Amino acid sequence: MSDAATSTIDQAEVDRFSAMASDWWDPTGKFRPLHKFNPVRLAYIRDQVTAHFGGDPKSHQPMKGLRVLDIGCGGGLLCEPLARMGAEVIGADASETNIEIARIHAAQSGIDIDYRAVPAETLAANGELFDIVLNMEVVEHVADVDLFLSSCAQMVKPGGLMFVATINRTFKALALAIVGAEYVLRWLPRGTHQYDKLVRPEEIQEPLKRAGLETIETTGVFYTPLTDRWALSRDMDVNYMLVAARPK
């Protein structure tokens, strides 16, 4: 079997995000939508994690003692706040450039994060295990969705959680997340997302089920222009998040 058949890396996607790496920590730059999205996804992760593991969401370090993998971590926009919440964070990305940007920013911020330039299947093959695995805005950029999800699921400890956030493959998502965001409003560079690579909820739930994970919740996330904020929503036609657990 060739390497291409056993890899989740889409090199064109890696190159695209590597070329934008210097903008990761600019809240007005090319990753502005992720900076805007960060508060709602962090709150969702914190609330689900504390409910599942029995922590206090109002404490200073609600994720203390938990080992977390952020796969496809980019420049570390999720890794740093999660580390501040007390988690032991491993950030992994296929782009060496992204990892270097993330390492520099973490060092400047005085935050201890273990960053690695490796794909999910390499970590899984090495026997890594985590209380929480995060796949946030990644699955729509990989070469093999099923292999990616099964590799990530393999790393979830018994009793652990996996989070996935992505864009649904619907005409509404095409209109808003691609045409609107990339071509009209120009929030993202053109070509950031391809419609045929978007993933429907059932296309995530089924591979996770085969890997032994049970979906706990699926929720939509919607942007409101009037408030310039993201919020959880019943509407999953565009952006959505789900959380799945491995039984103890």
Side-chain angles (χ1 to χ4, degrees), residues 76-246:
L77 298 188
L78 272 176
C79 291
E80 291 196 14
L82 291 171
R84 290 191 181 98
M85 290 186 196
E88 175 194 349
V89 179
I90 291 82
D93 199 283
S95 167
E96 293 269 5
T97 307
N98 285 345
I99 289 297
E100 187 59 27
I101 292 290
R103 284 173 177 156
I104 291 171
H105 196 275
Q108 292 172 341
S109 303
I111 302 173
D112 184 17
I113 297 170
D114 180 0
Y115 282 117
R116 308 180 192 180
V118 292
E121 59 269 23
T122 299
L123 290 169
N126 290 339
E128 295 277 4
L129 291 174
F130 302 90
D131 298 294
I132 300 160
V133 174
L134 303 178
N135 297 302
M136 311 302 280
E137 293 76 46
V138 181
V139 70
E140 71 270 24
H141 300 293
V142 303
D144 187 326
V145 172
D146 283 5
L147 175 60
F148 176 72
L149 290 172
S150 64
S151 297
C152 292
Q154 184 179 329
M155 294 185 281
V156 179
K157 291 180 181 180
L161 296 175
M162 180 189 290
F163 291 83
V164 182
T166 190
I167 302 173
N168 206 343
R169 192 171 68 254
T170 64
F171 288 122
K172 186 174 181 179
L174 173 64
L176 297 179
I178 297 180
V179 176
E182 297 181 18
Y183 291 83
V184 178
L185 298 174
R186 298 186 180 181
W187 286 345
L188 295 167
R190 293 182 180 183
T192 298
H193 296 103
Q194 290 82 49
Y195 179 74
D196 61 351
K197 294 193 73 174
L198 302 183
V199 188
R200 292 174 177 152
E202 61 270 22
E203 295 169 344
I204 292 174
Q205 292 167 342
E206 284 303 316
L208 294 185
K209 184 178 180 180
R210 290 195 297 270
L213 272 63
E214 300 173 355
T215 300
I216 297 173
E217 180 179 278
T218 306
T219 184
V221 192
F222 201 78
Y223 174 74
T224 303
L226 290 177
T227 60
D228 191 26
R229 294 180 64 182
W230 290 86
L232 299 183
S233 168
R234 293 181 181 177
D235 183 352
M236 296 191 296
D237 286 345
V238 185
N239 295 81
Y240 67 94
M241 296 188 288
L242 69 80
V243 55
R246 182 179 296 286

Side-chain angles (χ1 to χ4, degrees), residues 14-25:
V14 173
D15 293 344
R16 180 180 294 112
F17 283 92
S18 295
M20 299 187 288
S22 61
D23 279 353
W24 272 110
W25 287 95

